[in-house]
Amino acid sequence: MRRALNARNSLILQLADEVRAKAAALIPVHDVSFAINESHSAIIPEIGVGGSCYASGLVSIDVSQTVEMSTPALDQVLRYTIAHELHHAARWRSVGCGRSLGEAWVFEGLADHFAQQLTPGVVMPWTRQMTYFSRRVCHAYLPFALRLNRYDRHIWFSRGSILKGIPRWAGYSLGFELVGRHLSLSGNAASDCHATSAADVLQRPNNFAAAE
Ligand SMILES: [Zn+2]
């Protein structure tokens, strides 16, 4: 059992090294280390994989023991997740995650766009556009999002709130949309923006009407 676990972890680490080498050509992550865990709170059930990065030097990759290794689908999901977390690591060297809701949107949106930059064609369920109604509700927070320092991260980035009309993963979906708009208007890639402030990203005409 331990041997199988070790073999599995070294496969993941090998993949992580490959992604870091590719990412390091674009963003400052050459010295980032990886930890392989199996934290249930970090793993996204739909894909059996999750990750976290709370500092510039360390990325945690969480993989459920129930997922089958060595499949092309898991390879892509792992590469995407590692790239996403590496963008966070690079951003921790400069502007970090910030304290406001708007900064968190940009932090996650840039990470997802960077993950797509490195693994084109991989689309995660949390980056899909919300329904028209949900987008309208969430876009109403835009004018003061950068000043909203007290917000519920669980509501915005994981479970949502039926009461508030905020769907699951709304923060990721909105962040992906707003950052995507900034990137297409500025002509930059997510790798160019690892140190760009959230205020600069959100100053673009990101109101709901402009995004239609
Ligand atoms: Zn993230």
PDB file of all heavy atoms in Angstrom, residues 166-200:
ATOM      1  N   ILE A 166     -26.509  33.800  -4.982  1.00  0.00           N
ATOM      2  CA  ILE A 166     -25.137  33.602  -5.481  1.00  0.00           C
ATOM      3  C   ILE A 166     -24.917  32.100  -5.660  1.00  0.00           C
ATOM      4  O   ILE A 166     -24.984  31.341  -4.694  1.00  0.00           O
ATOM      5  CB  ILE A 166     -24.102  34.174  -4.476  1.00  0.00           C
ATOM      6  CG1 ILE A 166     -24.309  35.682  -4.331  1.00  0.00           C
ATOM      7  CG2 ILE A 166     -22.674  33.863  -4.920  1.00  0.00           C
ATOM      8  CD1 ILE A 166     -23.478  36.312  -3.209  1.00  0.00           C
ATOM      9  N   PRO A 167     -24.676  31.650  -6.902  1.00  0.00           N
ATOM     10  CA  PRO A 167     -24.514  30.200  -7.111  1.00  0.00           C
ATOM     11  C   PRO A 167     -23.149  29.695  -6.653  1.00  0.00           C
ATOM     12  O   PRO A 167     -22.226  30.474  -6.420  1.00  0.00           O
ATOM     13  CB  PRO A 167     -24.676  30.044  -8.619  1.00  0.00           C
ATOM     14  CG  PRO A 167     -24.309  31.350  -9.186  1.00  0.00           C
ATOM     15  CD  PRO A 167     -24.615  32.398  -8.155  1.00  0.00           C
ATOM     16  N   ARG A 168     -23.049  28.389  -6.554  1.00  0.00           N
ATOM     17  CA  ARG A 168     -21.770  27.740  -6.229  1.00  0.00           C
ATOM     18  C   ARG A 168     -20.698  28.198  -7.232  1.00  0.00           C
ATOM     19  O   ARG A 168     -20.979  28.332  -8.423  1.00  0.00           O
ATOM     20  CB  ARG A 168     -21.983  26.220  -6.337  1.00  0.00           C
ATOM     21  CG  ARG A 168     -20.797  25.402  -5.963  1.00  0.00           C
ATOM     22  CD  ARG A 168     -21.094  23.937  -6.241  1.00  0.00           C
ATOM     23  NE  ARG A 168     -19.989  23.102  -5.835  1.00  0.00           N
ATOM     24  CZ  ARG A 168     -19.761  21.876  -6.298  1.00  0.00           C
ATOM     25  NH1 ARG A 168     -20.589  21.350  -7.173  1.00  0.00           N
ATOM     26  NH2 ARG A 168     -18.725  21.175  -5.888  1.00  0.00           N
ATOM     27  N   TRP A 169     -19.498  28.463  -6.738  1.00  0.00           N
ATOM     28  CA  TRP A 169     -18.346  28.825  -7.564  1.00  0.00           C
ATOM     29  C   TRP A 169     -18.487  30.188  -8.265  1.00  0.00           C
ATOM     30  O   TRP A 169     -17.755  30.486  -9.212  1.00  0.00           O
ATOM     31  CB  TRP A 169     -18.067  27.768  -8.644  1.00  0.00           C
ATOM     32  CG  TRP A 169     -17.606  26.444  -8.126  1.00  0.00           C
ATOM     33  CD1 TRP A 169     -16.859  26.206  -7.010  1.00  0.00           C
ATOM     34  CD2 TRP A 169     -17.818  25.159  -8.734  1.00  0.00           C
ATOM     35  NE1 TRP A 169     -16.595  24.869  -6.878  1.00  0.00           N
ATOM     36  CE2 TRP A 169     -17.180  24.201  -7.918  1.00  0.00           C
ATOM     37  CE3 TRP A 169     -18.479  24.736  -9.877  1.00  0.00           C
ATOM     38  CZ2 TRP A 169     -17.190  22.843  -8.219  1.00  0.00           C
ATOM     39  CZ3 TRP A 169     -18.488  23.381 -10.156  1.00  0.00           C
ATOM     40  CH2 TRP A 169     -17.848  22.441  -9.351  1.00  0.00           C
ATOM     41  N   ALA A 170     -19.426  31.012  -7.818  1.00  0.00           N
ATOM     42  CA  ALA A 170     -19.657  32.300  -8.494  1.00  0.00           C
ATOM     43  C   ALA A 170     -18.382  33.142  -8.579  1.00  0.00           C
ATOM     44  O   ALA A 170     -18.123  33.788  -9.606  1.00  0.00           O
ATOM     45  CB  ALA A 170     -20.743  33.076  -7.748  1.00  0.00           C
ATOM     46  N   GLY A 171     -17.585  33.162  -7.514  1.00  0.00           N
ATOM     47  CA  GLY A 171     -16.368  33.986  -7.505  1.00  0.00           C
ATOM     48  C   GLY A 171     -15.385  33.567  -8.589  1.00  0.00           C
ATOM     49  O   GLY A 171     -14.733  34.407  -9.217  1.00  0.00           O
ATOM     50  N   TYR A 172     -15.285  32.256  -8.831  1.00  0.00           N
ATOM     51  CA  TYR A 172     -14.385  31.770  -9.885  1.00  0.00           C
ATOM     52  C   TYR A 172     -14.917  32.156 -11.261  1.00  0.00           C
ATOM     53  O   TYR A 172     -14.174  32.617 -12.119  1.00  0.00           O
ATOM     54  CB  TYR A 172     -14.247  30.248  -9.811  1.00  0.00           C
ATOM     55  CG  TYR A 172     -13.475  29.758  -8.619  1.00  0.00           C
ATOM     56  CD1 TYR A 172     -14.124  29.217  -7.511  1.00  0.00           C
ATOM     57  CD2 TYR A 172     -12.083  29.828  -8.583  1.00  0.00           C
ATOM     58  CE1 TYR A 172     -13.408  28.755  -6.411  1.00  0.00           C
ATOM     59  CE2 TYR A 172     -11.364  29.376  -7.488  1.00  0.00           C
ATOM     60  CZ  TYR A 172     -12.033  28.842  -6.409  1.00  0.00           C
ATOM     61  OH  TYR A 172     -11.334  28.393  -5.311  1.00  0.00           O
ATOM     62  N   SER A 173     -16.222  31.919 -11.458  1.00  0.00           N
ATOM     63  CA  SER A 173     -16.821  32.199 -12.765  1.00  0.00           C
ATOM     64  C   SER A 173     -16.723  33.694 -13.104  1.00  0.00           C
ATOM     65  O   SER A 173     -16.323  34.066 -14.211  1.00  0.00           O
ATOM     66  CB  SER A 173     -18.292  31.751 -12.754  1.00  0.00           C
ATOM     67  OG  SER A 173     -18.911  32.112 -13.953  1.00  0.00           O
ATOM     68  N   LEU A 174     -17.056  34.520 -12.116  1.00  0.00           N
ATOM     69  CA  LEU A 174     -17.009  35.970 -12.350  1.00  0.00           C
ATOM     70  C   LEU A 174     -15.564  36.430 -12.542  1.00  0.00           C
ATOM     71  O   LEU A 174     -15.277  37.252 -13.424  1.00  0.00           O
ATOM     72  CB  LEU A 174     -17.659  36.691 -11.158  1.00  0.00           C
ATOM     73  CG  LEU A 174     -17.911  38.178 -11.326  1.00  0.00           C
ATOM     74  CD1 LEU A 174     -18.740  38.465 -12.561  1.00  0.00           C
ATOM     75  CD2 LEU A 174     -18.629  38.724 -10.080  1.00  0.00           C
ATOM     76  N   GLY A 175     -14.658  35.911 -11.708  1.00  0.00           N
ATOM     77  CA  GLY A 175     -13.240  36.263 -11.840  1.00  0.00           C
ATOM     78  C   GLY A 175     -12.715  35.888 -13.212  1.00  0.00           C
ATOM     79  O   GLY A 175     -11.997  36.659 -13.856  1.00  0.00           O
ATOM     80  N   PHE A 176     -13.114  34.717 -13.693  1.00  0.00           N
ATOM     81  CA  PHE A 176     -12.660  34.246 -15.006  1.00  0.00           C
ATOM     82  C   PHE A 176     -13.192  35.174 -16.100  1.00  0.00           C
ATOM     83  O   PHE A 176     -12.471  35.547 -17.023  1.00  0.00           O
ATOM     84  CB  PHE A 176     -13.156  32.812 -15.227  1.00  0.00           C
ATOM     85  CG  PHE A 176     -12.579  32.151 -16.433  1.00  0.00           C
ATOM     86  CD1 PHE A 176     -11.267  31.686 -16.441  1.00  0.00           C
ATOM     87  CD2 PHE A 176     -13.341  31.985 -17.578  1.00  0.00           C
ATOM     88  CE1 PHE A 176     -10.724  31.078 -17.565  1.00  0.00           C
ATOM     89  CE2 PHE A 176     -12.809  31.375 -18.706  1.00  0.00           C
ATOM     90  CZ  PHE A 176     -11.505  30.916 -18.695  1.00  0.00           C
ATOM     91  N   GLU A 177     -14.436  35.567 -15.959  1.00  0.00           N
ATOM     92  CA  GLU A 177     -15.058  36.449 -16.955  1.00  0.00           C
ATOM     93  C   GLU A 177     -14.395  37.834 -16.961  1.00  0.00           C
ATOM     94  O   GLU A 177     -14.032  38.361 -18.017  1.00  0.00           O
ATOM     95  CB  GLU A 177     -16.555  36.573 -16.632  1.00  0.00           C
ATOM     96  CG  GLU A 177     -17.296  37.525 -17.537  1.00  0.00           C
ATOM     97  CD  GLU A 177     -18.731  37.780 -17.066  1.00  0.00           C
ATOM     98  OE1 GLU A 177     -19.345  36.863 -16.489  1.00  0.00           O
ATOM     99  OE2 GLU A 177     -19.216  38.900 -17.273  1.00  0.00           O
ATOM    100  N   LEU A 178     -14.216  38.422 -15.781  1.00  0.00           N
ATOM    101  CA  LEU A 178     -13.675  39.783 -15.689  1.00  0.00           C
ATOM    102  C   LEU A 178     -12.211  39.831 -16.124  1.00  0.00           C
ATOM    103  O   LEU A 178     -11.799  40.738 -16.849  1.00  0.00           O
ATOM    104  CB  LEU A 178     -13.807  40.311 -14.251  1.00  0.00           C
ATOM    105  CG  LEU A 178     -15.247  40.437 -13.732  1.00  0.00           C
ATOM    106  CD1 LEU A 178     -15.255  40.843 -12.259  1.00  0.00           C
ATOM    107  CD2 LEU A 178     -16.053  41.428 -14.556  1.00  0.00           C
ATOM    108  N   VAL A 179     -11.443  38.844 -15.699  1.00  0.00           N
ATOM    109  CA  VAL A 179     -10.035  38.801 -16.102  1.00  0.00           C
ATOM    110  C   VAL A 179      -9.943  38.550 -17.614  1.00  0.00           C
ATOM    111  O   VAL A 179      -9.132  39.164 -18.300  1.00  0.00           O
ATOM    112  CB  VAL A 179      -9.265  37.717 -15.307  1.00  0.00           C
ATOM    113  CG1 VAL A 179      -7.897  37.453 -15.920  1.00  0.00           C
ATOM    114  CG2 VAL A 179      -9.107  38.142 -13.849  1.00  0.00           C
ATOM    115  N   GLY A 180     -10.799  37.674 -18.130  1.00  0.00           N
ATOM    116  CA  GLY A 180     -10.801  37.387 -19.566  1.00  0.00           C
ATOM    117  C   GLY A 180     -11.063  38.639 -20.373  1.00  0.00           C
ATOM    118  O   GLY A 180     -10.432  38.865 -21.416  1.00  0.00           O
ATOM    119  N   ARG A 181     -11.961  39.459 -19.885  1.00  0.00           N
ATOM    120  CA  ARG A 181     -12.272  40.708 -20.584  1.00  0.00           C
ATOM    121  C   ARG A 181     -11.061  41.640 -20.543  1.00  0.00           C
ATOM    122  O   ARG A 181     -10.717  42.266 -21.535  1.00  0.00           O
ATOM    123  CB  ARG A 181     -13.482  41.359 -19.923  1.00  0.00           C
ATOM    124  CG  ARG A 181     -13.978  42.549 -20.682  1.00  0.00           C
ATOM    125  CD  ARG A 181     -15.402  42.909 -20.339  1.00  0.00           C
ATOM    126  NE  ARG A 181     -15.772  44.129 -21.035  1.00  0.00           N
ATOM    127  CZ  ARG A 181     -16.106  44.181 -22.310  1.00  0.00           C
ATOM    128  NH1 ARG A 181     -16.134  43.079 -23.020  1.00  0.00           N
ATOM    129  NH2 ARG A 181     -16.419  45.329 -22.886  1.00  0.00           N
ATOM    130  N   HIS A 182     -10.410  41.717 -19.388  1.00  0.00           N
ATOM    131  CA  HIS A 182      -9.216  42.563 -19.262  1.00  0.00           C
ATOM    132  C   HIS A 182      -8.123  42.075 -20.221  1.00  0.00           C
ATOM    133  O   HIS A 182      -7.484  42.878 -20.900  1.00  0.00           O
ATOM    134  CB  HIS A 182      -8.692  42.529 -17.817  1.00  0.00           C
ATOM    135  CG  HIS A 182      -7.339  43.149 -17.664  1.00  0.00           C
ATOM    136  ND1 HIS A 182      -7.154  44.519 -17.613  1.00  0.00           N
ATOM    137  CD2 HIS A 182      -6.095  42.595 -17.580  1.00  0.00           C
ATOM    138  CE1 HIS A 182      -5.857  44.773 -17.496  1.00  0.00           C
ATOM    139  NE2 HIS A 182      -5.195  43.630 -17.467  1.00  0.00           N
ATOM    140  N   LEU A 183      -7.931  40.765 -20.280  1.00  0.00           N
ATOM    141  CA  LEU A 183      -6.862  40.223 -21.131  1.00  0.00           C
ATOM    142  C   LEU A 183      -7.150  40.499 -22.604  1.00  0.00           C
ATOM    143  O   LEU A 183      -6.252  40.884 -23.343  1.00  0.00           O
ATOM    144  CB  LEU A 183      -6.699  38.709 -20.894  1.00  0.00           C
ATOM    145  CG  LEU A 183      -6.255  38.298 -19.483  1.00  0.00           C
ATOM    146  CD1 LEU A 183      -6.148  36.777 -19.371  1.00  0.00           C
ATOM    147  CD2 LEU A 183      -4.933  38.949 -19.085  1.00  0.00           C
ATOM    148  N   SER A 184      -8.402  40.326 -23.005  1.00  0.00           N
ATOM    149  CA  SER A 184      -8.669  40.554 -24.438  1.00  0.00           C
ATOM    150  C   SER A 184      -8.581  42.040 -24.785  1.00  0.00           C
ATOM    151  O   SER A 184      -8.144  42.384 -25.873  1.00  0.00           O
ATOM    152  CB  SER A 184      -9.987  39.928 -24.873  1.00  0.00           C
ATOM    153  OG  SER A 184     -11.042  40.546 -24.218  1.00  0.00           O
ATOM    154  N   LEU A 185      -8.935  42.914 -23.855  1.00  0.00           N
ATOM    155  CA  LEU A 185      -8.843  44.352 -24.146  1.00  0.00           C
ATOM    156  C   LEU A 185      -7.397  44.854 -24.086  1.00  0.00           C
ATOM    157  O   LEU A 185      -7.020  45.760 -24.830  1.00  0.00           O
ATOM    158  CB  LEU A 185      -9.697  45.149 -23.146  1.00  0.00           C
ATOM    159  CG  LEU A 185     -11.214  45.060 -23.345  1.00  0.00           C
ATOM    160  CD1 LEU A 185     -11.951  45.690 -22.173  1.00  0.00           C
ATOM    161  CD2 LEU A 185     -11.629  45.728 -24.652  1.00  0.00           C
ATOM    162  N   SER A 186      -6.601  44.275 -23.199  1.00  0.00           N
ATOM    163  CA  SER A 186      -5.225  44.763 -23.033  1.00  0.00           C
ATOM    164  C   SER A 186      -4.239  44.048 -23.952  1.00  0.00           C
ATOM    165  O   SER A 186      -3.120  44.504 -24.156  1.00  0.00           O
ATOM    166  CB  SER A 186      -4.767  44.582 -21.580  1.00  0.00           C
ATOM    167  OG  SER A 186      -4.695  43.203 -21.270  1.00  0.00           O
ATOM    168  N   GLY A 187      -4.655  42.891 -24.487  1.00  0.00           N
ATOM    169  CA  GLY A 187      -3.755  42.116 -25.340  1.00  0.00           C
ATOM    170  C   GLY A 187      -2.706  41.355 -24.552  1.00  0.00           C
ATOM    171  O   GLY A 187      -1.751  40.819 -25.119  1.00  0.00           O
ATOM    172  N   ASN A 188      -2.858  41.285 -23.238  1.00  0.00           N
ATOM    173  CA  ASN A 188      -1.909  40.553 -22.395  1.00  0.00           C
ATOM    174  C   ASN A 188      -2.358  39.115 -22.190  1.00  0.00           C
ATOM    175  O   ASN A 188      -3.535  38.783 -22.351  1.00  0.00           O
ATOM    176  CB  ASN A 188      -1.800  41.219 -21.013  1.00  0.00           C
ATOM    177  CG  ASN A 188      -1.035  42.527 -21.082  1.00  0.00           C
ATOM    178  OD1 ASN A 188      -0.061  42.647 -21.814  1.00  0.00           O
ATOM    179  ND2 ASN A 188      -1.479  43.514 -20.319  1.00  0.00           N
ATOM    180  N   ALA A 189      -1.410  38.285 -21.771  1.00  0.00           N
ATOM    181  CA  ALA A 189      -1.736  36.929 -21.317  1.00  0.00           C
ATOM    182  C   ALA A 189      -1.741  36.951 -19.791  1.00  0.00           C
ATOM    183  O   ALA A 189      -1.197  37.876 -19.171  1.00  0.00           O
ATOM    184  CB  ALA A 189      -0.686  35.949 -21.828  1.00  0.00           C
ATOM    185  N   ALA A 190      -2.321  35.919 -19.190  1.00  0.00           N
ATOM    186  CA  ALA A 190      -2.373  35.859 -17.718  1.00  0.00           C
ATOM    187  C   ALA A 190      -0.963  35.848 -17.123  1.00  0.00           C
ATOM    188  O   ALA A 190      -0.732  36.357 -16.032  1.00  0.00           O
ATOM    189  CB  ALA A 190      -3.148  34.629 -17.278  1.00  0.00           C
ATOM    190  N   SER A 191      -0.006  35.274 -17.869  1.00  0.00           N
ATOM    191  CA  SER A 191       1.377  35.238 -17.373  1.00  0.00           C
ATOM    192  C   SER A 191       1.970  36.641 -17.295  1.00  0.00           C
ATOM    193  O   SER A 191       2.867  36.884 -16.484  1.00  0.00           O
ATOM    194  CB  SER A 191       2.240  34.353 -18.280  1.00  0.00           C
ATOM    195  OG  SER A 191       2.138  34.789 -19.620  1.00  0.00           O
ATOM    196  N   ASP A 192       1.492  37.561 -18.132  1.00  0.00           N
ATOM    197  CA  ASP A 192       2.006  38.942 -18.092  1.00  0.00           C
ATOM    198  C   ASP A 192       1.475  39.692 -16.878  1.00  0.00           C
ATOM    199  O   ASP A 192       1.982  40.757 -16.537  1.00  0.00           O
ATOM    200  CB  ASP A 192       1.558  39.726 -19.350  1.00  0.00           C
ATOM    201  CG  ASP A 192       2.033  39.069 -20.633  1.00  0.00           C
ATOM    202  OD1 ASP A 192       3.176  38.576 -20.641  1.00  0.00           O
ATOM    203  OD2 ASP A 192       1.262  39.042 -21.616  1.00  0.00           O
ATOM    204  N   CYS A 193       0.417  39.180 -16.271  1.00  0.00           N
ATOM    205  CA  CYS A 193      -0.315  39.958 -15.254  1.00  0.00           C
ATOM    206  C   CYS A 193      -0.146  39.404 -13.837  1.00  0.00           C
ATOM    207  O   CYS A 193      -0.957  39.727 -12.974  1.00  0.00           O
ATOM    208  CB  CYS A 193      -1.808  39.978 -15.601  1.00  0.00           C
ATOM    209  SG  CYS A 193      -2.149  40.668 -17.219  1.00  0.00           S
ATOM    210  N   HIS A 194       0.890  38.594 -13.599  1.00  0.00           N
ATOM    211  CA  HIS A 194       0.995  37.996 -12.247  1.00  0.00           C
ATOM    212  C   HIS A 194       1.196  39.051 -11.164  1.00  0.00           C
ATOM    213  O   HIS A 194       0.896  38.822  -9.998  1.00  0.00           O
ATOM    214  CB  HIS A 194       2.104  36.936 -12.209  1.00  0.00           C
ATOM    215  CG  HIS A 194       3.470  37.464 -12.501  1.00  0.00           C
ATOM    216  ND1 HIS A 194       4.276  38.013 -11.543  1.00  0.00           N
ATOM    217  CD2 HIS A 194       4.161  37.520 -13.663  1.00  0.00           C
ATOM    218  CE1 HIS A 194       5.411  38.388 -12.103  1.00  0.00           C
ATOM    219  NE2 HIS A 194       5.373  38.105 -13.385  1.00  0.00           N
ATOM    220  N   ALA A 195       1.708  40.244 -11.560  1.00  0.00           N
ATOM    221  CA  ALA A 195       1.909  41.300 -10.557  1.00  0.00           C
ATOM    222  C   ALA A 195       1.009  42.508 -10.815  1.00  0.00           C
ATOM    223  O   ALA A 195       1.189  43.558 -10.200  1.00  0.00           O
ATOM    224  CB  ALA A 195       3.374  41.724 -10.533  1.00  0.00           C
ATOM    225  N   THR A 196       0.051  42.363 -11.725  1.00  0.00           N
ATOM    226  CA  THR A 196      -0.871  43.470 -12.026  1.00  0.00           C
ATOM    227  C   THR A 196      -1.901  43.596 -10.906  1.00  0.00           C
ATOM    228  O   THR A 196      -2.468  42.586 -10.468  1.00  0.00           O
ATOM    229  CB  THR A 196      -1.609  43.199 -13.366  1.00  0.00           C
ATOM    230  OG1 THR A 196      -0.632  42.991 -14.375  1.00  0.00           O
ATOM    231  CG2 THR A 196      -2.510  44.354 -13.759  1.00  0.00           C
ATOM    232  N   SER A 197      -2.136  44.813 -10.461  1.00  0.00           N
ATOM    233  CA  SER A 197      -3.079  44.978  -9.342  1.00  0.00           C
ATOM    234  C   SER A 197      -4.503  44.668  -9.795  1.00  0.00           C
ATOM    235  O   SER A 197      -4.850  44.822 -10.977  1.00  0.00           O
ATOM    236  CB  SER A 197      -3.002  46.401  -8.795  1.00  0.00           C
ATOM    237  OG  SER A 197      -3.640  47.280  -9.695  1.00  0.00           O
ATOM    238  N   ALA A 198      -5.322  44.255  -8.838  1.00  0.00           N
ATOM    239  CA  ALA A 198      -6.731  43.973  -9.146  1.00  0.00           C
ATOM    240  C   ALA A 198      -7.425  45.241  -9.622  1.00  0.00           C
ATOM    241  O   ALA A 198      -8.294  45.197 -10.497  1.00  0.00           O
ATOM    242  CB  ALA A 198      -7.421  43.414  -7.913  1.00  0.00           C
ATOM    243  N   ALA A 199      -7.028  46.380  -9.073  1.00  0.00           N
ATOM    244  CA  ALA A 199      -7.646  47.648  -9.481  1.00  0.00           C
ATOM    245  C   ALA A 199      -7.411  47.897 -10.971  1.00  0.00           C
ATOM    246  O   ALA A 199      -8.309  48.339 -11.684  1.00  0.00           O
ATOM    247  CB  ALA A 199      -7.073  48.793  -8.648  1.00  0.00           C
ATOM    248  N   ASP A 200      -6.207  47.588 -11.448  1.00  0.00           N
ATOM    249  CA  ASP A 200      -5.908  47.771 -12.872  1.00  0.00           C
ATOM    250  C   ASP A 200      -6.753  46.829 -13.730  1.00  0.00           C
ATOM    251  O   ASP A 200      -7.213  47.195 -14.803  1.00  0.00           O
ATOM    252  CB  ASP A 200      -4.422  47.511 -13.147  1.00  0.00           C
ATOM    253  CG  ASP A 200      -3.564  48.705 -12.771  1.00  0.00           C
ATOM    254  OD1 ASP A 200      -4.143  49.777 -12.484  1.00  0.00           O
ATOM    255  OD2 ASP A 200      -2.329  48.562 -12.729  1.00  0.00           O
TER     256      ASP A 200
END
